[in-house]
């Protein structure tokens, strides 16, 4: 990354960072997309089993990766401020606490899952698939959390093309492995939905190995000598880094757990509704990659400019992001309006599931409008390392407004399961308004420092 002048140069740098992040995130989501499609074409039970497993796994998995992503604004600000000498130490300490988080994550999963699943009253086959999917994917937790440290280290320097190349190598391998283990090829038994967990665990390990190779052999990362002379764990540094990362991870948990909770509530409506809801959420997650990529790009670029004390430049990047997301929302609305039936047919051949899925996709349009306002503001605030208020606003919008209003609509009106979607949309919109107010406060504060 480098200092830019005017909107034209900023637009070039913005897209240079954004496009690899978008391709990376889209590639990561492609795994879930193909898993859902493959499971849906095996049986409704396989699709539902993977859906329940994902709804239990992803909120906690994503929140821990969110904690690790707290390294990005810290490293970006140090890099922008010319203080590279501190970066290597921060990354090495990151390995320690990321490993501790991985061990804690696995232990809590093995303790909690056997106690949670009986409460859901799942069909026996769905229950079996869910348990063994989670068991299989747990073997990839340590590698992917350590890989997350390296990925944030690389991205914080603006070298997002490298992480894109890593992902575009590991994700196709993941998809192929999932297909092999789900359907059974080369003499390997067909594990059905469970095979998605096996393939993902192997691919997570490959992702770590590729990140290690990049950091060892490619500049500027090679100069940091990340794998030479590991210092002792320093708890004061852990506290400092987790002070940034935990609010980010907690915000992500509020966002992702709300969708997981809704997915679990959907089990009361039967396997067909669960399958349709999961397919719609999978599609929504894929198209969310644009606002998410904008959010991650802003964290890097705003952090870089704030570290260099160029606060006006940071504000210009934020304005650019708004134009991009508005264009995206318009294109998405047109796509879903015209092709919702065809999209539903991609996910399942079940005549029971398809019409319900089509209905969910209509609500997906409004969900993405809300997310396209919300996500970039979160990313920009993380670039300023303003993370605590963002967490509180996430609790307000998702758990105080979104879920309760969705539950009331679903259970006390005629809209049924669609009520949960309406509640979530309302919560995200409230969050977006509050984040905009907070952004104004933070920008005024930093502008005052720059005078």
């Amino acid at each position: 990354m480098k200092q830019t002048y005017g909107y034209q140069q900023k637009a070039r740098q913005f897209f240079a960072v954004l496009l690899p992040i978008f391709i990376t995130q889209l590639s990561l989501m492609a795994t879930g997309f193909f898993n859902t499609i493959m499971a849906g074409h095996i049986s409704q039970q396989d699709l539902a089993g993977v859906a329940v497993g994902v709804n239990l796994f992803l909120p906690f998995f994503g929140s821990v990766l969110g904690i690790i992503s707290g390294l990005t604004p810290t490293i970006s600000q140090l890099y922008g401020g010319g203080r590279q000498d501190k970066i290597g130490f921060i990354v090495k300490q990151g390995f320690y606490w990321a490993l501790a988080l991985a061990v804690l994550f696995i232990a809590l999963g093995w303790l909690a899952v056997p106690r949670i699943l009986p409460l859901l009253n799942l069909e026996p086959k769905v229950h079996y698939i869910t348990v063994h999917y989670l068991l299989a994917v747990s073997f990839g937790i340590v590698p992917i959390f350590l890989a997350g440290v390296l990925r944030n280290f690389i991205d914080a320097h603006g070298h997002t093309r490298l992480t894109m190349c890593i992902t575009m190598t590991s994700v196709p391998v993941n998809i192929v492995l999932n297909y092999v283990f789900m359907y059974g090829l080369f003499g390997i038994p067909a594990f059905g939905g469970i095979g998605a967990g096996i393939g993902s665990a192997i691919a997570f390990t490959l992702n770590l190995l590729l990140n290690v190779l990049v950091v060892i052999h490619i500049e500027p990362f090679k100069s940091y000598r990340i794998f030479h002379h590991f210092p002792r764990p320093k708890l004061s540094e852990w506290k400092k880094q987790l002070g940034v990362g935990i609010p980010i991870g907690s915000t992500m948990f509020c966002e992702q757990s709300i969708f997981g909770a809704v997915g679990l509530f959907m089990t009361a409506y039967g396997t067909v509704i669960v399958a349709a809801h999961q397919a719609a959420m999978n599609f929504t997650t894929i198209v969310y990659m644009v606002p998410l990529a904008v959010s991650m790009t802003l964290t890097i670029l705003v952090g870089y400019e704030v570290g260099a004390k160029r606060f006006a430049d940071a504000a210009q990047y934020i304005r650019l992001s708004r134009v991009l997301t508005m264009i995206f929302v318009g294109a998405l609305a047109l796509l879903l309006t015209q092709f919702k039936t065809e999209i539903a047919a991609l996910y399942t051949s079940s005549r029971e599931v398809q019409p319900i899925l089509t209905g969910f996709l209509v609500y997906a349009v409004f969900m993405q409008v809300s997310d396209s306002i919300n996500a970039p503001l979160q990313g920009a605030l993380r670039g300023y390392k303003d993370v605590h208020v963002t967490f509180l606003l996430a609790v307000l919008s998702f758990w105080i407004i979104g879920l309760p209003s969705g539950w009331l609509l679903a259970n006390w009106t005629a809209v049924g399961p669609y009520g949960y979607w309406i509640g979530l949309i309302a919560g995200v919109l409230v969050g977006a308004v509050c984040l905009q107010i907070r952004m104004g406060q933070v920008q005024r504060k930093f502008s005052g420092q720059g005078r």
Side-chain angles (χ1 to χ4, degrees), residues 39-40 42-51 125-126 129 191-194:
I42 295 172
S43 72
Q44 291 180 9
Q45 288 76 19
D46 282 275
L47 178 56
V50 172
K125 184 177 179 181
V126 175
I129 292 168
F191 290 95
I194 300 167

Side-chain angles (χ1 to χ4, degrees), residues 345-361:
L346 274 177
Y347 278 94
T348 179
S349 54
S350 170
R351 293 184 179 181
E352 293 179 278
V353 176
Q354 279 191 14
I356 299 170
L357 173 54
T358 302
F360 280 132
L361 289 174

Side-chain angles (χ1 to χ4, degrees), residues 130-361:
T130 300
V131 169
H132 288 82
Y133 166 83
L134 292 172
L135 179 63
V137 80
S138 69
F139 287 94
I141 295 301
V142 170
I144 199 62
F145 283 5
L146 295 178
V149 175
L150 294 177
R151 177 185 171 186
N152 285 278
F153 169 50
I154 295 168
D155 280 350
H157 286 73
H159 289 263
T160 52
R161 283 177 292 181
L162 287 173
T163 51
M164 177 190 73
C165 291
I166 291 170
T167 303
M168 293 186 70
T169 300
S170 58
V171 164
V173 173
N174 193 351
I175 293 169
V176 171
L177 287 172
N178 289 356
Y179 187 87
V180 169
F181 286 108
M182 290 174 79
Y183 285 89
L185 294 175
F186 312 115
I188 295 173
F191 290 95
I194 300 167
I198 299 171
S200 295
I202 297 172
F204 287 166
T205 304
L206 173 64
N207 188 279
L208 172 62
L209 294 175
L210 292 173
N211 275 284
V212 169
L213 288 174
V214 165
V215 169
I216 289 176
H217 295 291
I218 296 179
E219 293 290 359
F221 315 106
K222 180 181 178 181
S223 299
Y224 287 99
R225 297 171 64 86
I226 293 298
F227 297 103
H228 293 265
H229 181 61
F230 273 81
R232 292 181 178 180
K234 188 174 181 181
L235 296 182
S236 61
E237 186 62 36
W238 291 28
K239 181 179 179 182
K240 187 185 301 182
Q241 292 307 315
L242 291 172
V244 177
I246 287 177
I248 295 175
S250 299
T251 302
M252 291 184 175
F253 179 77
C254 283
E255 296 172 351
Q256 296 181 13
S257 63
I258 199 76
F259 297 111
V262 169
L264 296 177
F265 279 127
M266 289 289 180
T267 59
Y269 295 96
T271 301
V272 171
I273 295 293
V274 171
H277 169 77
Q278 178 60 24
M281 287 304 304
N282 180 262
F283 179 79
T284 303
T285 302
I286 290 173
V287 295
Y288 177 65
M289 291 306 99
V290 170
L292 178 61
V294 172
S295 176
M296 296 172 71
T297 300
L298 283 175
T299 298
I300 295 167
L301 293 175
V302 170
Y304 179 74
E305 299 295 350
V306 168
K309 301 189 182 302
R310 295 189 291 265
F311 305 120
D313 295 75
Q316 288 180 339
Y317 278 121
I318 295 169
R319 286 192 285 271
L320 273 175
S321 74
R322 290 174 177 165
V323 174
L324 175 64
T325 51
M326 290 303 296
I327 294 171
F328 165 70
V329 168
L332 173 66
L334 180 63
L335 173 70
L336 277 178
T337 302
Q338 298 297 318
F339 299 106
K340 60 181 181 292
T341 303
E342 290 79 3
I343 293 169
L346 274 177
Y347 278 94
T348 179
S349 54
S350 170
R351 293 184 179 181
E352 293 179 278
V353 176
Q354 279 191 14
I356 299 170
L357 173 54
T358 302
F360 280 132
L361 289 174

Side-chain angles (χ1 to χ4, degrees), residues 27 101 108 174-175 303 332 366 396:
S27 298
L101 288 174
L108 290 176
N174 193 351
I175 293 169
L332 173 66
F366 298 98
L396 169 69

